[in-house]
């Protein structure tokens, strides 16, 4: 655990550890052995632990094979999942029978996941079969770790490795904290987002180290009150809000704070992206501050024409309304000449956008960085390298 834990984190840990005598449920007591499949043993250990107020499921050091498993609550009280070893997923996607999650934590209040262990998704075979860049209706691939309806919980000191798809996915979670989480996959592994979240609130991600083949962190619709602090990102596609506006009835995104991040050799930096021809939507109160870019392509982006691999219609502009967005104290080097690219919607231009203390030097030879703006008039203060909106698109 880090030295600078917040008061909220300490309070949460004290609540989760409030049971004086945690009962320990070691999977080896249920037949688990290293280098063997422990799916049944873990399922039995979890079920027994969940029925007790104040319990701990332990997977000790060693490598263990694990099929898809749902660790379901609600439990009698706070419960700890203590992974000290390495869990290995099946390599063959067919063994998941179309399911979209490998290890699923669901409907749990007061969960702690820790122990320094590894969730190894064994994604190499699946990446070769991934057609999502070509087909938006591609087959679903399993996510390493899913948190569904998890509240008042903390995840710390674990590693997610080589997921077949997203590494960690949050859905309808509340008051969930991530501390010192490591996520790793090769730069060319498709759709291996580090942490993706939807319809969640009061989420905190601190001191994470993430390097994947897609977004280090992606924030979908319906998220509110998300704090991301001291995250290291790269390789990958950067830190993204969105993409938004792809589906009907998406919920607003608001209250997003990203501070103290360092991005290195990523395809994008900090980014808000929405689809053209979208239904109406809202993204507001989004702030990026004190961020270092090391050889990052497209360090600062608002892209309301987001359309990867020509999978959409550009016939009408995005209807997602972006407002109250700030980029402050962002510095370092850009691998592209265009370092700031704010392309907002003609239908609903961006409002209350702030650029303050921007200093991004071009890493390549010949010339300095540039800035392009469309349908936005940002408020500017402090140093501006590149000069704000030096290129304007009508």
């Amino acid at each position: 655990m880090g030295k600078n834990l917040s008061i909220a984190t300490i309070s949460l840990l004290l609540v989760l550890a409030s049971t004086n005598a945690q009962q320990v449920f070691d999977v080896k007591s249920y037949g688990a052995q290293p280098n063997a499949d422990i799916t049944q043993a873990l399922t039995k250990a979890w079920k027994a632990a969940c029925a007790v107020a104040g319990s701990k499921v332990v997977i000790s050091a060693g490598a263990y094979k694990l099929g898809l498993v749902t660790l379901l609550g609600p439990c009698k009280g706070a419960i700890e999942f203590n992974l000290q070893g390495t869990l290995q997923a099946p390599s063959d996607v067919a063994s998941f029978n179309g399911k979209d999650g490998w290890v699923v934590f669901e409907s749990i209040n007061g969960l702690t996941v820790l122990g320094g262990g590894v969730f190894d998704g064994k994604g190499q075979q699946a990446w070769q079969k991934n057609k999502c860049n070509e087909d938006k209706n591609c087959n679903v691939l399993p996510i390493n770790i899913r948190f569904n309806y998890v509240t008042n919980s903390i995840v710390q000191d674990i590693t997610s490795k080589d997921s077949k798809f997203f590494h960690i996915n949050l859905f309808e979670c509340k008051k969930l904290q991530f501390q010192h989480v490591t996520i790793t996959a090769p730069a060319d592994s498709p759709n291996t987002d580090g942490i993706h979240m939807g319809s969640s609130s009061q989420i905190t991600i601190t001191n994470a180290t993430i390097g994947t083949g897609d977004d280090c962190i992606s924030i979908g619709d319906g998220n509110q009150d998300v704090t991301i602090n001291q995250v290291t990102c790269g390789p990958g596609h950067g830190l993204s809000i969105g993409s938004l506006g792809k589906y009907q009835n998406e919920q607003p995104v608001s209250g997003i704070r990203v501070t103290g991040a360092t991005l290195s050799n990523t395809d994008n930096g900090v980014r808000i992206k929405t689809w053209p021809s979208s239904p109406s939507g809202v993204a507001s109160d989004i702030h990026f501050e004190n961020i270092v870019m090391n050889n990052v392509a497209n360090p600062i982006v608002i892209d309301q024409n987001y359309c990867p691999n020509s999978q959409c219609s550009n016939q009408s502009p995005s209807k997602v309304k972006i407002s109250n967005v700030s980029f402050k104290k962002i510095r370092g080097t850009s691998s592209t000449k265009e370092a700031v690219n704010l392309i907002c919607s003609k239908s609903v231009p961006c409002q209350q956008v702030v650029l303050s203390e921007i200093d991004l030097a071009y890493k390549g030879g010949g010339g300095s960085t540039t800035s392009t703006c469309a349908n936005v008039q940002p408020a500017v203060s402090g140093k501006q390298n590149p000069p704000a909106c030096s290129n304007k698109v009508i």
Side-chain angles (χ1 to χ4, degrees):
M1 222 181 300
K3 296 179 180 178
N4 298 317
L5 290 180
S6 67
I7 293 175
T9 301
I10 294 170
S11 299
L12 181 56
L13 286 170
L14 290 172
V15 169
L16 296 176
S18 58
T19 305
N20 288 329
Q22 257 186 330
Q23 292 196 46
V24 176
F25 295 81
D26 192 320
V27 293
K28 287 183 177 178
S29 299
Y30 295 84
Q33 295 292 331
N35 303 311
D37 190 296
I38 67 165
T39 307
Q40 289 190 4
L42 175 57
T43 301
K44 291 176 181 177
W46 176 269
K47 187 175 181 179
C50 190
V52 173
S55 58
K56 177 195 296 190
V57 174
V58 175
I59 304 172
S60 56
Y64 305 86
K65 301 181 188 307
L66 180 70
L68 68 163
V69 63
T70 297
L71 305 176
L72 186 64
C75 296
K76 285 283 188 179
I79 186 167
E80 178 180 312
F81 184 87
N82 190 308
L83 174 62
Q84 301 164 22
T86 297
L87 298 177
Q88 298 173 334
S91 297
D92 186 6
V93 174
S95 65
F96 287 85
N97 298 316
K99 300 291 186 180
D100 61 2
W102 172 35
V103 179
V104 181
F105 295 93
E106 186 165 316
S107 301
I108 306 166
N109 181 57
L111 170 69
T112 302
V113 179
L114 45 65
V118 178
F119 294 82
D120 184 353
K122 297 287 183 181
Q124 291 83 353
Q125 289 185 24
W127 301 333
Q128 298 172 15
K129 299 178 181 179
N130 188 318
K131 303 297 182 185
C132 294
N133 288 335
E134 304 168 11
D135 179 9
K136 62 182 178 181
N137 297 313
C138 59
N139 293 329
V140 172
L141 294 171
I143 292 166
N144 257 14
I145 313 168
R146 278 187 168 274
F147 295 95
N148 299 332
Y149 315 105
V150 173
T151 58
N152 298 305
S153 298
I154 185 165
V155 179
Q156 64 182 46
D157 299 314
I158 61 154
T159 295
S160 177
K161 176 185 176 185
D162 292 344
S163 182
K164 295 174 177 64
F165 205 60
F166 297 173
H167 279 81
I168 296 175
N169 190 88
L170 281 58
F171 181 70
E172 291 207 16
C173 294
K174 186 174 183 179
K175 294 185 179 178
L176 176 56
Q177 299 187 32
F178 291 84
Q179 295 263 7
H180 297 97
V181 169
T182 300
I183 300 172
T184 179
D188 61 354
S189 57
N191 303 113
T192 52
D193 296 51
I195 301 175
H196 177 78
M197 63 187 77
S199 303
S200 296
S201 63
Q202 295 176 265
I203 307 300
T204 303
I205 303 170
T206 305
N207 293 315
T209 300
I210 306 173
T212 70
D214 211 300
D215 293 329
C216 290
I217 298 173
S218 54
I219 298 175
D221 77 291
N223 292 291
Q224 298 183 351
D225 190 11
V226 177
T227 300
I228 300 167
N229 185 38
Q230 300 297 327
V231 167
T232 299
C233 169
H237 294 179
L239 304 173
S240 295
I241 314 299
S243 56
L244 304 175
K246 188 175 183 179
Y247 305 106
Q248 295 285 343
N249 303 314
E250 290 188 0
Q251 297 302 303
V253 175
S254 66
I256 313 298
R257 304 283 189 279
V258 181
T259 60
T262 299
L263 292 85
S264 300
N265 303 307
T266 52
D267 291 351
N268 297 281
V270 291
R271 177 169 59 153
I272 303 173
K273 50 185 179 178
T274 75
W275 291 76
S277 303
S278 71
S280 297
V282 173
S284 64
D285 190 19
I286 300 169
H287 305 283
F288 305 95
E289 185 168 358
N290 192 24
I291 294 172
V292 176
M293 306 285 182
N294 296 319
N295 194 40
V296 168
N298 313 304
I300 298 174
V301 175
I302 295 177
D303 181 6
Q304 295 211 256
N305 294 319
Y306 178 73
C307 184
N309 305 298
S310 301
Q311 293 184 22
C312 57
S313 168
N314 284 308
Q315 294 178 353
S316 62
S318 175
K319 293 179 183 176
V320 177
K321 177 69 174 180
I322 295 175
S323 64
N324 188 17
V325 175
S326 66
F327 303 92
K328 297 180 178 181
K329 297 181 182 178
I330 299 179
R331 61 200 183 277
T333 56
S334 174
S335 63
T336 53
K337 294 197 76 171
E338 188 168 73
V340 179
N341 190 19
L342 307 180
I343 306 300
C344 295
S345 170
K346 291 182 180 179
S347 175
V348 281
C350 298
Q351 294 184 337
Q352 297 172 279
V353 175
V354 173
L355 292 172
S356 177
E357 298 292 344
I358 308 299
D359 189 7
L360 295 164
Y362 179 43
K363 184 77 169 179
S368 55
T369 51
T370 62
S371 170
T372 298
C373 298
N375 308 305
V376 61
Q377 294 182 337
V380 176
S381 65
K383 184 171 185 176
Q384 293 293 316
N385 177 33
C389 301
S390 52
N391 300 320
K392 292 188 178 181
V393 179
I394 298 175

